[in-house]
């Protein structure tokens, strides 16, 4: 029989991804000079921070232990963003967009989990998954303004 923490692993996986996103956006902000892009990236970073809080709260609500670090995803994000810094603002924005697209796929995969509680699915669909899509659109607009 699975234990509670195993059942909450999908939420902890999303949590690690959101922690990684916060770290990556903070790094990206160091390499962006366009003020409009900075404003948008700060907003998106704040939204990822809110997602971290929401996911931690959900995990704790169900009696689980929320992860505290991004783990392997954080290392991967740092490597990608570090490479992007070398190649400029557009590369940094593309790296962020790739991260958002990966996050969206994670959310979609977890939404298809038949064991996920309906109220958790609702929270993920109505709040976090929609934000991922909006973040991708925002990053596309930011890249267009840099050209």
């Amino acid at each position: 029989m699975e234990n509670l923490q195993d059942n909450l692993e999908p939420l902890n996986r999303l949590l690690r991804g959101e922690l990684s996103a916060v770290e990556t956006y903070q790094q990206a902000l160091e390499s962006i000079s366009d003020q409009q892009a900075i404003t948008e990236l700060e907003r998106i970073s704040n939204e990822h921070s809110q997602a971290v809080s929401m996911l931690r709260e959900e995990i704790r609500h169900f009696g689980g232990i929320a992860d505290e670090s991004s783990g392997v995803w954080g290392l991967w994000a740092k490597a990608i963003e570090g490479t992007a810094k070398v190649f400029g603002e557009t590369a940094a924005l593309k790296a962020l967009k790739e991260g958002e697209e990966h996050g969206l796929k994670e959310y979609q995969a977890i939404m298809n989990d038949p064991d996920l509680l309906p109220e958790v699915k609702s929270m993920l669909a109505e709040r976090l998954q929609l934000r991922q899509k909006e973040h991708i659109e925002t990053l596309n607009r930011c890249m267009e303004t840099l050209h």
Side-chain angles (χ1 to χ4, degrees):
M1 186 171 148
E2 289 185 64
N3 69 28
L4 175 68
Q5 202 60 32
D6 289 340
N7 289 330
L8 294 174
E9 178 50 32
L11 291 181
N12 262 318
R13 191 167 73 232
L14 291 174
L15 174 58
R16 288 188 298 271
E18 292 292 351
L19 286 164
S20 173
V22 172
E23 294 169 11
T24 306
Y25 275 88
Q26 293 307 310
Q27 280 191 319
L29 281 162
E30 296 171 13
S31 64
I32 303 292
S33 61
D34 180 79
Q35 192 53 52
Q36 183 179 350
I38 289 170
T39 301
E40 293 290 2
L41 297 186
E42 286 173 341
R43 179 185 58 76
I44 293 172
S45 179
N46 288 335
E47 289 179 357
H48 282 294
S49 292
Q50 292 168 5
V52 165
S53 296
M54 234 184 295
L55 288 164
R56 280 189 174 143
E57 189 176 306
E58 279 300 306
I59 292 165
R60 290 180 184 133
H61 171 77
F62 289 107
I65 299 167
D67 287 352
E68 293 298 323
S69 79
S70 57
V72 175
W73 283 119
L75 297 174
W76 177 81
K78 284 184 176 116
I80 295 298
E81 195 56 44
T83 302
K85 278 185 184 180
V86 173
F87 296 104
E89 292 184 349
T90 301
L93 292 172
K94 281 183 182 174
L96 291 172
K97 181 182 169 194
E98 286 174 19
E100 293 288 350
E101 289 169 341
H102 175 78
L104 181 59
K105 287 177 187 167
E106 284 286 310
Y107 276 104
Q108 290 168 337
I110 288 171
M111 294 292 293
N112 292 327
D113 182 343
D115 297 328
L116 196 62
L117 294 169
E119 61 267 26
V120 175
K121 279 188 183 185
S122 171
M123 184 255 312
L124 294 178
E126 293 170 11
R127 296 177 81 180
L128 302 179
Q129 190 176 1
L130 286 176
R131 279 187 182 171
Q132 292 290 126
K133 292 176 181 177
E134 190 274 329
H135 294 167
I136 292 166
E137 293 169 12
T138 299
L139 291 167
N140 281 333
R141 282 193 307 275
C142 287
M143 284 187 278
E144 287 171 12
T145 62
L146 292 180
H147 293 278

